[in-house]
Amino acid sequence: MIVSTLSRPNRKFKDTDYFSVKTETYFLMPFRFHRLNSQREVVVNEVGDHLVYPTGTVARIIGREIDKQLDSELYADLIAGMFISESPIPALIDVLATRYRTKKSFLDDFTNLHIFVITLRCEHTCHYCQVSRVTTDKDAFDMSKKHIDRGIDLMMESPNPFVTMEFQGGEALLAFDNIKYAVERTKRLAVSYNKKVTYVICTNLAVITMEILEYCKENGILLSTSLDGPGFIHNQNRRRPGNNSYELTVAGIEMANNVIEKDSISALMTATNLSLAHPIEIVEEYRARGFDSIFLRPISPYGFALSNERKNKYAMDDFLSFYKTALQHIIAYNLKGEFFREQYATIILKKILTPFPVGYVDLNSPAGAITNVILFNYDGNVYATDESRMLAESGDYTFRLGHLDSSSYEEIFYGERAMEIAEVMTNESLPGCSECAFQSYCGSDPVHNHATQGDIWGYRPTSTFCRKNMEIIRYLIELMDGSEEITKVFESWIR
Amino acid sequence: MTPLHNHINGNSIIIYLDRSIYSSNVILKCLYWYGDKFHTDFRSLDSTYYCVTLSVLAAETEQTDLEAYQLKFERDIIDYSLRDTVTKETANIRDLLIAKAFSNGEYDEEPAGEVSDPVGFDVHAINPYQN
Ligand code: SF4
C-alpha cells in the first residue's frame, strides 16, 4: 500500500503554507525604539539586536501595517529578529531566552575586580584628584598587612574562578613592598583555591624602576598608567614638584616597553576643561607613544573633584563634541588603513554588535558595583566601587559595605546595604530607562546618581551619565547607518 | 464645543490631550523628559481633555525655541503612546522570556515544531515508561 506522505500528520517537511499564519496580522514582540535623527529611527529588541528604518516605520509596525507581501523584506527582517511573530509565542522563544541569559551571563560568576588601595600617599597633586595625600606617613596612609591578608582572603571567597587584583593609590608604587607581599601571598593561595588571578598596578610611572619592571614581567603584572595628552595638557592636569609629570610618564612608558610586553601597559586619559580644546593633539600623543587605542573619558564628578568647580565643571555637551571630533579623527586613520581604536566606543559597539556580555563595570545592568567590583580601602573600609571611596573622602559613606576587621563575606556582598543598592541596579526598572531603546547597551550607576544628583535612583533628564551614553550610542548607530566603511572599521575594533 | 488648539502663552506651552486617546500613564512618561527645562503641570480639564502646561525654567528662552519644544512634545506624546502599546501588548511574553532566561528548565516547553523528528514518527506517542 502506498501511503501518501502528504497525509502523514507528523512528517518533517511541511508545505510552505504551513509556516505562514492564516490570520491577517502578526503579534508584537518586546522591542524599544529611538529617533536617530529626523529621517531615521532605530528599533532594538530585548537581546540588543537593532534595525534602522526611515522615520514612521515603527508606527507602521505597531499599527499592524507591515504587509507580508508588499513589505516582504522588512517583514522578513522583523520576523527573523523576533521584533514581531506570527504566533503569540514564537517557536524560537527558547533561543531568545538563551540569548538573554547570555547577555546577562556576566552575573554568573559574581565579583571579578578586587581593588586594593594599597596606599593613599602620592607625590603628585593633580587638581582633579579626589583622594591622594602628599605625606611620608606610611602608618596612617598605607594598607596594613592585616588588611591586605583579609582582602586577599575575601577575594579567594569570590565564586568567580577568574579574579583581578588591582592595586591603586595614591601612587601605588610608593608601597611597592606591600604590593610584592600581596602578590606573593595571592600566588600561593590561588593554587589551593584554583583561581586564575590577573594583577594590575595603576601608576603614574613617576617612581618606576627596572627592579619593579622586572618583577612585573616575572609575574605577568599589567601596568595601567595615566596620559592626558601632550606635555602642555598633562603637566597642567597632573601637578608635581618640577612640573615634569609628562616627561616622567613618557620615560616610564618607554622604559616599560623595553622590559615588559607591549600589551602589558595601557594608558587612560581624563579630559579636563583644558583637554576639551585639544581632541586631535591628544589622539596624536597616543599614536606617537605607540599605543593603538585610547580611552576618552570625562572627568569623574566625585569627591574633591567637585570642590574645584571652575576647572572641572564643564558641560557634558562640551565633552561630547570633544569626543566626536576625536572619534572622527580616529576613524579617518582607520579608513586609511591604520588600526587605532577608541575604547569606550569599542565597549558599546561590542554590546550593539555581538551577542556577548561586556564586563565593563560602569556600563552594566545590573550595575557593576558589588556584582563585578569591590574596593578594599587603605584603612580597611570596604566600598562598592572606586568612586564610592572617593565620596567617602568627602565624608559621604553611603556606599560603605563593611570593614575588613569585622565584616564577613556575606555581610559585605549580601548585606542590608548591598540589598538597598541592588534595588536601583537594573536600568530595566529605572524611570526613563525602562522604555529607552538603548537600555541593553547602557547601564545603571547608582553611585554616579547619588554623587551628582543626591539620589541613588537618579533623574535621567539632567543626568550626565544618561546624556553621555544616550548621545554616544545614538551617534555610533547613526555612523554605522550612514556608512558601510565605518561599520567595517567598527567591526574590526570588536574582533 | 470648539476644538482646543495647542498654543504658546507667554513663557508657557499649553497642550490639550484627548482622554480617549492618551492615558495619564503615557502623558506622565512623556512629561518626565521635560522636567529639566520646564515646570510641568498636568491636570484634567474636563471629561474630554487633559491639559498640560510647560512653563520654561530659563527666562531667556526664545519664542522659536518654545515652538520647537511644542512640536517636540506633540511628536513625543505619539512616540510614548506607541511605546505604551508595545509595553502592554508584550508584557506577558517579556515576563515569559525573562523567566525562561533565568530558570533552570522550569519553563521549558516541548521542543517547538518537529525538528527533532527527522524520520517522521510521532515522538509524543512514545512513552518510555510503557510496559
Ligand atoms: S541612562 Fe539614559 S541612555 Fe541609558 S538606558 Fe537610561 S535613559 Fe537610556
Side-chain angles (χ1 to χ4, degrees), chain A residues 427 432-433 436 438-439 442-443 460 465-466 469-470, chain B residues 33:
Chain A
N427 65 4
C433 302
C436 174
F438 301 152
Q439 189 188 88
C442 193
R460 252 52 64 198
F465 176 86
C466 178
N469 291 321
M470 194 180 275
Chain B
W33 287 99

Side-chain angles (χ1 to χ4, degrees), chain A residues 34 363 427-428 430-445 449 460-461 463 465-471 473, chain B residues 32-33:
Chain A
H34 188 92
L363 218 49
N427 65 4
E428 286 86 345
L430 289 180
C433 302
S434 69
E435 287 189 348
C436 174
F438 301 152
Q439 189 188 88
S440 49
Y441 310 141
C442 193
S444 96
D445 194 343
N449 294 341
R460 252 52 64 198
S463 155
F465 176 86
C466 178
R467 178 83 191 109
K468 173 179 138 188
N469 291 321
M470 194 180 275
E471 182 50 20
I473 296 167
Chain B
Y32 176 80
W33 287 99

Side-chain angles (χ1 to χ4, degrees), chain A residues 8 10-11 28-31 33 35 46 62 64 88 91 94 96-97 100-101 431-432 435 459-462, chain B residues 29 32-33 35-36 79 82-83 85-87 89-90 93-94 97 100-104 112 114 119-122:
Chain A
R8 290 173 59 185
N10 53 353
R11 64 186 280 272
L28 297 181
M29 293 290 286
F31 67 79
F33 65 94
R35 288 172 189 259
E46 204 65 41
I62 297 168
R64 305 299 198 281
D94 285 339
L96 202 62
Y100 192 96
R101 189 186 181 108
E435 287 189 348
Y459 179 59
R460 252 52 64 198
T462 56
Chain B
K29 281 188 177 171
Y32 176 80
W33 287 99
D36 59 333
D79 283 355
L82 292 170
R83 290 188 178 107
T85 305
V86 181
T87 303
E89 281 189 30
T90 64
I93 189 93
R94 188 164 181 260
L97 177 71
K100 276 172 171 289
F102 293 117
S103 75
N104 288 310
E114 291 168 28
V119 284
F121 39 66
D122 187 355

Side-chain angles (χ1 to χ4, degrees), chain B residues 19-78:
Chain B
R19 299 170 68 130
S20 67
I21 301 173
Y22 300 104
S23 71
S24 58
N25 193 26
V26 165
I27 299 168
L28 286 169
K29 281 188 177 171
C30 185
L31 269 182
Y32 176 80
W33 287 99
Y34 285 77
D36 59 333
K37 297 191 178 68
F38 297 91
H39 285 290
T40 56
D41 182 86
F42 169 40
R43 60 185 69 194
S44 285
L45 193 65
D46 52 33
S47 57
T48 315
Y49 286 102
Y50 287 119
C51 179
V52 163
T53 307
L54 302 173
S55 311
V56 285
L57 291 171
E60 66 277 8
T61 310
E62 304 274 339
Q63 179 79 10
T64 47
D65 289 344
L66 285 182
E67 282 163 18
Y69 278 117
Q70 179 183 332
L71 190 68
K72 182 170 169 359
F73 188 91
E74 288 162 352
R75 280 186 186 153
D76 283 356
I77 195 77
I78 293 171

Side-chain angles (χ1 to χ4, degrees), chain A residues 27 124 152 272 322 369 446:
Chain A
F27 298 87
H124 272 61
I152 294 170
T272 56
F322 160 87

